[in-house]
Amino acid sequence: DADVTQTPRNRITKTGKRIMLECSQTKGHDRMYWYRQDPGLGLRLIYYSFDVKDINKGEISDGYSVSRQAQAKFSLSLESAIPNQTALYFCATSERDILAGGRPREQFFGPGTRLTVL
Amino acid sequence: TQLLEQSPQFLSIQEGENLTVYCNSSSVFSSLQWYRQEPGEGPVLLVTVVTGGEVKKLKRLTFQFGDARKDSSLHITAAQPGDTGLYLCAGRVFRGSTLGRLYFGRGTQLTVWP
């Protein structure tokens, strides 16, 4: 079974609808992340959480919100979807660093959710 | 503003050829990672480099971190069709309250033809 799972894998919705993307992990990692990927733009960080009580904005958080319901679950919501939020969305997890500023831990990515907003 | 610039954006070569992908920045990074992503999947870590001038080898792949820790390269020897994928570099820079988050480049899409 996959360590990082995302649901749904594909979603088509209409402008103005509220959408929730869910991420679950069985790796026991404290840190979780949401990225979006657009052709030619690479991965851009939306939100990240270093533990259950910690939520931080990434570089493109406008129009998105998140909830860290438990260590293993991190969900991303689009309150009112718009067409330019059409993208591939990835959840990722990592362990906390051994030392601050030290070698970063590997990020483990889910399989992605392809979201289309019409 | 893109913190990490990757080049080339696309690379299409024949099996057996050598290639180099570059990741450059004007910022200093405490570390840099390379990931590979295949269609329909999330990125998977290939290597992490942390020391200026560090060279790491992974079979036919050679990764180098620049002496000034502002750039990195990935060299593939005798490319094979199985090397096809999107190669992403990701750097960690400490500034302000970002707590060492990763910044990704836009990626290099490599296609190796049989």
Side-chain angles (χ1 to χ4, degrees):
Chain A
D1 290 338
D3 295 318
V4 184
T5 57
Q6 293 183 232
T7 56
R9 292 294 313 276
N10 290 282
R11 182 72 183 268
I12 300 174
T13 190
K14 295 182 179 180
T15 297
K17 293 292 187 181
R18 184 178 188 275
I19 297 297
M20 180 181 286
L21 308 182
E22 300 190 5
C23 176
S24 293
Q25 53 118 343
T26 58
K27 300 187 77 66
H29 290 170
D30 289 326
R31 299 184 172 190
M32 299 187 74
Y33 313 80
W34 274 106
Y35 293 91
R36 67 175 279 175
Q37 186 174 41
D38 300 271
L41 293 180
L43 286 166
R44 292 183 292 167
L45 185 63
I46 306 172
Y47 272 96
Y48 60 104
S49 169
F50 281 179
D51 64 46
V52 174
K53 297 180 181 179
D54 175 77
I55 300 290
N56 303 282
K57 292 183 177 181
E59 55 191 305
I60 53 164
S61 58
D62 288 348
Y64 301 94
S65 62
V66 291
S67 174
R68 185 83 184 265
Q69 301 96 321
Q71 186 202 38
K73 296 184 181 296
F74 193 35
S75 59
L76 175 72
S77 293
L78 286 67
E79 298 301 325
S80 180
I82 55 177
N84 76 0
Q85 291 178 313
T86 292
L88 192 53
Y89 290 84
F90 286 101
C91 173
T93 74
S94 71
E95 294 178 276
R96 64 181 63 188
D97 294 340
I98 297 174
L99 292 173
R103 181 179 294 267
R105 297 303 192 102
E106 176 178 359
Q107 290 194 10
F108 293 86
F109 287 81
T113 294
R114 184 168 296 281
L115 177 66
T116 303
V117 184
L118 301 175
Chain B
T1 304
Q2 195 73 19
L3 203 59
L4 282 167
E5 297 291 342
Q6 281 189 246
S7 61
Q9 186 176 356
F10 298 97
L11 194 52
S12 183
I13 61 172
Q14 292 293 129
E15 182 176 3
E17 293 184 18
N18 301 331
L19 66 111
T20 303
V21 175
Y22 300 94
C23 179
N24 297 294
S25 177
S26 57
S27 299
V28 176
F29 290 93
S30 61
S31 61
L32 199 134
Q33 295 180 321
W34 284 91
Y35 288 80
R36 181 169 73 196
Q37 183 181 11
E38 299 187 16
E41 299 180 8
V44 175
L45 181 69
L46 295 173
V47 76
T48 300
V49 286
V50 296
T51 305
E54 183 175 359
V55 176
K56 280 197 169 180
K57 292 191 175 183
L58 187 65
K59 297 183 180 178
R60 293 176 294 100
L61 279 61
T62 301
F63 304 86
Q64 185 163 5
F65 200 14
D67 291 339
R69 291 186 292 147
K70 291 184 178 182
D71 56 87
S72 181
S73 63
L74 158 59
H75 182 80
I76 301 179
T77 303
Q80 298 178 1
D83 296 326
T84 293
L86 179 67
Y87 289 81
L88 295 157
C89 64
R92 169 175 282 188
V93 50
F94 288 92
R95 56 182 186 185
S97 61
T98 55
L99 296 175
R101 49 158 289 200
L102 281 179
Y103 292 84
F104 280 83
R106 296 183 181 187
T108 294
Q109 180 63 52
L110 171 66
T111 303
V112 183
W113 300 99

